[in-house]
């Protein structure tokens, strides 16, 4: 175990925020993870668990041991006539897993192509895109209890998945390290092309016969045309979650704003926060080194030397203006650390 001291976290978060970790270690196995946690406990030092750093906003130096999860492995652990059950190490890059699934004809996660980050973080907020969430293919996960250092298994129910939510962001926050996840992938694919521009993109490319590779390519194409590449402009994807409002409230607002988009959700109508933010005039605004992306106002960006606290303040200003104009509260998806 190689514990480093005073390490800049800039290369380890997609916002590119330059904060210092007092201690830093990368772990490649559960044994190394246990040793790192024991070391932090013996030194009475806090822990910060890190995957790809694509859903965090660093607002301070971390007086902690930052543990970067690099536990690898993709293994078929069970199979029947219809499904493969695949266990994946928490440190595997999510998109590498998607590409492996496409190569092997394991269907179900093609719509989740190109989402940054690691497999271990995917249950944290039940990652989703283009009409699919990981809860749709999730079977179970193994997580290390930080207090007892025992591995425990969680099924889907125990994870309490919701829209960009799980129990690990709430009641069990900071208590477990996810070490591996088992996904149930289909032998015969069921295509999800109704969402967003997938159908249109496939048609434009002249594709008539669907397969999971075509769908993955279409999703990649759409994402690349809309979302900024963190290698070029620092960001963490959607900064806020899309709010859901009651139907009556939606109808009342639509009388004032006939172009208001809305999608039926289980508990009301889901409104794109991007639309609300754009209506408040934020789209494409730049404030020194930070700003609101010009193509997708739900994405806050760091052009270079931006600070986490500046982005936090911008996020609060945006929340206030959306609340002031529409009386709708929007909440961050990104984890402030
Ligand atoms: P990190 O940012 O490293 O960590 C996120 C949180 O999880 C932190 O609180 C961390 O402490 C905790 N954590 C990480 N790993 C573990 C672990 N093994 N055990 C316990 N806790 C852990 N998300 C979507 O859902 N859909 C999208 O379409 C999408 N698009 C994006 C596009 C861009 C350009 C970017 C930059 C981000 C996007 N995101 C999207 C957000 C992000 O990709 C996901 O939230 C991803 O799952 C984060 O993974 P990560 O490994 O980078 O997590
Ligand atoms: N819109 C505007 N102005 C814009 C852009 C979008 O008004 O400049 C409105 C339009 O009405 C558009 C709607 O917002 O139809 C939705 O936009 P988009 O399809 O880009 O999706 P989104 O709601 O902004 C969500 C997820 C993304 C996910 C995509 C595709 C959330 C918070 N975000 O974005 O996830 O990739 O749908 O499924 O749910 C993430 O979580 O980080 C993320 C990128």
């Amino acid at each position: 175990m190689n514990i480093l001291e005073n390490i800049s976290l800039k290369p380890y978060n997609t916002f590119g925020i330059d904060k210092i970790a007092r201690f830093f270690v990368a772990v490649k196995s559960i044994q190394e993870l246990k040793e790192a946690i024991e070391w932090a406990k013996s030194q009475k030092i806090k822990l910060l668990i890190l995957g790809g750093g694509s859903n965090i906003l660093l607002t301070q130096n971390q007086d902690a041991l930052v543990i970067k999860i690099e536990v690898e492995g993709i293994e078929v652990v069970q199979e029947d006539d219809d499904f493969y059950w695949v266990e994946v190490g928490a440190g595997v890059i999510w998109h590498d897993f998607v590409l492996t699934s496409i190569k092997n004809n394991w269907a179900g996660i093609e719509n989740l192509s190109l989402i940054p980050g690691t497999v271990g973080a995917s249950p944290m907020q039940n990652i989703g895109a283009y009409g699919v969430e990981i809860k749709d293919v999730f079977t179970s996960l193994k997580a290390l209890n930080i207090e007892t250092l025992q591995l425990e298994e969680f099924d889907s129910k125990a994870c309490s998945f919701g829209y960009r939510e799980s129990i690990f962001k709430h009641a069990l926050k900071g208590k477990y390290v996810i070490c591996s996840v088992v996904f149930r992938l289909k032998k015969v694919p069921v295509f999800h092309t109704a969402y967003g521009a997938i159908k249109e993109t496939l048609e434009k490319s002249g594709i008539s016969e669907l397969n999971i590779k075509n769908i993955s390519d279409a999703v990649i194409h759409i994402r690349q045309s809309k979302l900024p590449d963190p290698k070029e402009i620092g960001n963490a994807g959607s900064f806020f979650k899309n709010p859901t409002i009651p139907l009556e409230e939606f109808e009342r607002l639509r009388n004032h704003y006939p172009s208001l988009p809305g999608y039926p959700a289980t508990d009301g109508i889901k409104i794109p926060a991007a639309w609300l933010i754009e209506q408040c005039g934020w789209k494409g605004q730049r404030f020194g080194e930070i700003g609101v992306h010009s193509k997708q106002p739900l994405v806050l960006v760091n052009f270079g030397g931006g600070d986490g606290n500046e982005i936090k303040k911008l996020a609060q200003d945006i929340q206030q203006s959306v609340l002031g104009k529409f009386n709708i509260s929007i909440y961050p998806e990104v984890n402030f650390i």
Side-chain angles (χ1 to χ4, degrees), residues 125 128-131 163-164 195 223 226-227 236-238 240-242 261 263 272 274-275 278 283 295-298 333:
Q125 69 157 13
Y130 297 94
Y163 163 61
R164 299 294 190 270
Y195 193 101
R223 293 182 69 95
K226 278 192 179 184
L227 291 164
S238 301
F240 301 100
K241 294 187 279 189
N242 289 324
Y263 309 93
W275 187 91
E278 180 169 358
K283 186 171 175 172
K295 286 191 199 156
Q296 174 41 285
L298 200 47
E333 173 189 303

Side-chain angles (χ1 to χ4, degrees), residues 49 51-55 116-118 121 124-125 127-128 164 178 223 235-237:
I49 308 301
S54 65
N55 207 21
T118 56
M124 292 296 295
Q125 69 157 13
I127 58 167
R164 299 294 190 270
I178 296 168
R223 293 182 69 95
N235 76 91

Side-chain angles (χ1 to χ4, degrees), residues 180-199:
S180 66
V181 186
V182 178
F183 299 94
R184 193 186 71 161
L185 301 175
K186 289 193 170 72
K187 292 191 169 179
V188 178
V190 174
F191 302 116
H192 300 277
T193 57
Y195 193 101
I198 298 184
K199 231 183 234 155

Side-chain angles (χ1 to χ4, degrees), residues 245-261:
I245 61 172
L247 177 63
E248 313 78 65
E249 175 68 1
F250 176 74
E251 281 167 351
R252 197 187 59 74
L253 263 177
R254 212 175 209 178
N255 286 334
H256 289 276
Y257 304 97
S259 68
L260 174 70

Side-chain angles (χ1 to χ4, degrees), residues 260-300:
L260 174 70
Y263 309 93
T266 40
D267 44 355
I269 303 289
K270 195 177 263 190
I271 313 275
W275 187 91
L276 299 169
I277 296 169
E278 180 169 358
Q279 295 297 310
C280 291
W282 292 102
K283 186 171 175 172
Q285 294 278 349
R286 181 169 178 158
F287 308 91
E289 287 300 300
I290 65 162
V292 179
H293 194 243
S294 56
K295 286 191 199 156
Q296 174 41 285
L298 200 47
V299 179
L300 304 189

